[in-house]
Amino acid sequence: QVQLVESGGGLVQAGGSLRLSCKASGSSFSIFVAAWYRQAPGKQRELVATITRSGNTNYVDSVKGRFTISRDNAKHTVYLLMNSLFSEDAAFYYCGIGAGIPPRYWGQGTQVTVSS
């Protein structure tokens, strides 16, 4: 069983930055695809970014050029660096890992609040 724990969320001013972290338990992290999703109140969960085990990344159009997903396989951790945050980026952010998308394993989420 894989467990994921997110951290790094919080309150930030519009235009600011946050870095989210997601640490995974278990020894198979390096073979998994990792992803960050977000869900704002009243909206569906949205896929934000993905990173394959070889480091290929993909982003939803709304965050391209502002967000960067990365992973450190030695630390079993995936990151999401978020720059130039807009109020529209405020949401609960979830990480997930698995053999593909959608992920099999999910974290509990971390809240990102953006003040204008």
Side-chain angles (χ1 to χ4, degrees), residues 25-46:
S25 63
S27 60
S28 301
F29 177 81
S30 62
I31 70 172
F32 288 134
V33 174
W36 285 96
Y37 285 72
R38 65 186 179 187
Q39 187 168 19
K43 295 187 177 181
Q44 290 188 331
R45 189 170 295 193
E46 173 187 41

Side-chain angles (χ1 to χ4, degrees), residues 5 12 21 26 97 100:
V5 178
V12 63
S21 299
I97 65 172

